Amino acid sequence: MTAALDIAATAQPEWDRQGGAARAAILERAANLFEQNRGLLMALVVREAGRTVANALGEMREAVDFLRYYAMQARADFETPQPLPGVTGEDNSLSLRGRGVFACIAPWNFPLSIFTGQVAGALAVGNSALAKPAEQTPLIAAAAIRLLHQAGVPGEVLHFLPGDGARIGKIMLADSRLSGVAFTGSTETATIINRALAARDGAIPVLIAETGGMNAMIVDSTALPEQVAKDAVTSAFDSAGQRCSALRVLFLQEDVADRMLDQILGAMDELKIGDPFDLATDVGPVIDEEARTALLAHAERMTKEALLLKKLPLESALNAGVFFPPHAFAIESMSMLKREVFGPILHVVRFEQSRLDAVCDAINASGYGLTLALHSRIDDTAQFVRSRVRVGNLYVNRNQIGAVVGAQPFGGEGLSGTGPKAGGPHYLPRFAVERTLTVNSAAAGGNARLLTLDEG
């Protein structure tokens, strides 16, 4: 760990001096290599993370999108200084440069795309990167690192650090040579990282954290039942509910709740649970036994305190794996949930139309602010919810998962993260320092540009 920091810190200035265009070319070569090795990368995602083939394809596309999008930004914003206004006889400019060494700490639920996006962001700006994958998914991360090295990222600049997170973090986060951390994972772990960084001496480091969400979907009486059923089931149960953007609490307007529920519960019956390599599978396993145990404990609590609406059966052939079937519970209020439940469990709350403001307040009261979906055909309702709820990503009349790089920058607020949003225009500058240059051109004989002005 110490050796990696030594090498990364030494190599970073030269990597930064290469400029945005040179680094962009390397990231674009990496994107091509990812596409050429699509079969290998997808197979590793399915085998190691238990994601379905369709999910693995989505990861591939998103990883490539991150590489190309950040390459485009590096070429545009990190190659030449940006001219700034000033008085005659003075030239001003602003440059963006790498901060130093960044730790990129990725989750297991998107082991290729988020891992790649963090690393690509750090590298594009001119930083060295210490890439720490989740303990559950080191193989897919190792494959990505090999391709990045093959594309031209120097080994001294990009380091791969698999292993126990607590042990690595204790050494890495305390080192003053670490300039920042890009982290995706639980709110609890982000808080531990934040405190560790704050406790050390030296320069103040940057923390970019994307954490969990108590994500809701609001459905009013004007919504289309078939669309609601499709979007609710997809949002809640795709990836076995193991997305930070996944739907956790479904608010149904009382007037239409029974009709909506009939369709949603019926759509749940069509889900196929099974081997993620099987193209017919909709819901694969959860990540490990610890995750399954936590979901079983929550389902047991909900069975006692709420109303079980639906629990899908598991085939006996799946008993040897870490499968957890989709559940749906009716609960009295969102306040029954004290923290994010990371898996295929949907909680349903009924509300009166006149209480839409209270629904918005309940979502805000959770402290999380990642995704929210609204199904309504009334524009005023959409505007009301948008103005009232504090979330990073609001989706109207569609599902709330699968944000697209460059089109739907992803990230939350409050307990859901620090921002800026990954895959958006403000992400890379957070990895950078700003440097201004002011030159007194009059001292060198005046401002030559004045000679080109029209006399008229």
Side-chain angles (χ1 to χ4, degrees):
M1 183 70 253
T2 301
L5 275 163
D6 286 340
I7 296 168
T10 301
Q12 187 271 330
E14 177 56 33
W15 176 247
D16 188 37
R17 282 192 290 269
Q18 286 194 25
R23 295 191 297 269
I26 291 173
L27 293 181
E28 288 165 345
R29 284 198 295 272
N32 292 337
L33 288 171
F34 273 48
E35 291 177 324
Q36 292 166 19
N37 290 272
R38 180 176 62 180
L40 169 65
L41 295 173
M42 287 177 59
L44 285 171
V45 169
V46 177
R47 176 66 183 85
E48 192 172 45
R51 307 202 72 199
T52 64
V53 174
N55 289 157
L57 179 58
E59 276 228 57
M60 255 297 305
R61 290 170 172 167
E62 186 174 27
V64 170
D65 285 348
F66 275 131
L67 289 165
R68 297 196 189 284
Y69 183 73
Y70 294 150
M72 177 186 69
Q73 288 191 310
R75 187 174 280 111
D77 299 333
F78 290 83
E79 177 63 16
T80 57
Q82 174 188 351
L84 298 176
V87 298
T88 299
E90 182 176 276
D91 293 327
N92 299 296
S93 63
L94 174 70
S95 298
L96 297 174
R97 305 296 293 269
R99 285 182 177 272
V101 181
F102 254 81
C104 300
I105 305 174
W108 49 259
N109 61 328
F110 283 87
L112 179 62
S113 59
I114 291 180
F115 178 84
T116 301
Q118 291 177 342
V119 170
L123 294 175
V125 169
N127 298 298
S128 291
L130 307 179
K132 167 65 180 74
E135 294 164 39
Q136 298 92 331
T137 53
L139 297 181
I140 181 62
I145 291 290
R146 281 195 295 270
L147 294 176
L148 284 161
H149 284 156
Q150 185 180 337
V153 179
E156 298 82 8
V157 169
L158 174 58
H159 299 257
F160 183 52
L161 300 175
D164 181 75
R167 291 179 61 190
I168 292 174
K170 184 176 181 180
I171 300 170
M172 182 169 60
L173 299 176
D175 198 301
S176 61
R177 291 170 296 179
L178 190 71
S179 301
V181 176
F183 169 78
T184 300
S186 71
T187 305
E188 293 80 5
T189 302
T191 300
I192 292 171
I193 293 172
N194 188 41
R195 288 172 177 164
L197 293 175
R200 72 180 210 189
D201 294 328
I204 299 173
V206 167
L207 174 60
I208 304 169
E210 193 270 289
T211 53
M214 195 86 75
N215 309 306
M217 177 184 287
I218 302 172
V219 179
D220 75 7
S221 60
T222 69
L224 301 173
E226 297 84 358
Q227 186 177 6
V228 170
K230 177 184 177 182
D231 290 345
V233 168
T234 299
S235 297
F237 304 124
D238 186 87
S239 303
Q242 298 173 123
R243 292 175 179 255
C244 49
S245 57
L247 170 62
R248 309 299 180 200
V249 183
L250 174 63
F251 288 92
L252 295 177
Q253 187 173 320
E254 184 68 60
D255 312 53
V256 294
D258 289 338
R259 182 159 56 103
M260 294 289 183
L261 268 179
D262 285 344
Q263 297 230 14
I264 293 167
L265 300 179
M268 286 179 64
D269 286 328
E270 300 302 315
L271 294 174
K272 179 177 178 4
I273 309 167
D275 181 355
F277 273 110
D278 184 346
L279 292 176
T281 294
D282 299 303
V283 180
V286 295
I287 188 64
D288 54 26
E289 186 58 37
E290 181 180 354
R292 192 172 78 96
T293 299
L295 291 167
L296 286 169
H298 180 76
E300 182 179 357
R301 178 194 156 213
M302 287 292 100
T303 301
K304 295 176 181 177
E305 300 178 10
L307 173 65
L308 177 63
L309 299 172
K310 174 78 71 173
K311 173 186 174 182
L312 295 188
L314 273 183
E315 296 179 2
S316 59
L318 302 178
N319 290 337
V322 285
F323 291 88
F324 183 86
H327 287 56
F329 292 96
I331 61 176
E332 289 298 320
S333 72
M334 192 174 182
S335 62
M336 291 181 66
L337 307 177
K338 303 305 179 185
R339 55 167 295 168
E340 180 184 27
V341 179
F342 208 71
I345 299 179
L346 177 63
H347 309 85
V348 181
V349 180
R350 295 172 180 245
F351 74 98
E352 298 288 344
Q353 189 275 334
S354 61
R355 300 281 292 164
L356 180 60
D357 56 343
V359 171
C360 295
D361 292 344
I363 295 169
N364 288 336
S366 74
Y368 293 92
L370 191 50
T371 72
L372 171 67
L374 169 68
H375 276 267
S376 173
R377 288 185 283 173
I378 301 176
D379 289 342
D380 286 348
T381 299
Q383 290 303 319
F384 176 84
V385 171
R386 180 184 182 187
S387 67
R388 188 106 177 188
V389 182
R390 299 186 293 271
V391 294
N393 289 65
L394 171 60
Y395 301 94
V396 179
N397 294 327
R398 54 152 286 176
N399 68 53
Q400 61 205 87
I401 61 174
V404 177
V405 174
Q408 297 147 358
F410 187 76
E413 54 194 80
L415 295 176
S416 294
T418 63
K421 289 172 170 290
H426 306 302
Y427 188 65
L428 291 194
R430 190 66 176 131
F431 287 85
V433 294
E434 297 178 304
R435 294 173 182 167
T436 57
L437 173 65
T438 298
V439 176
N440 178 6
S441 56
N447 186 350
R449 286 175 296 179
L450 294 176
L451 298 177
T452 65
L453 297 177
D454 292 337
E455 294 182 359

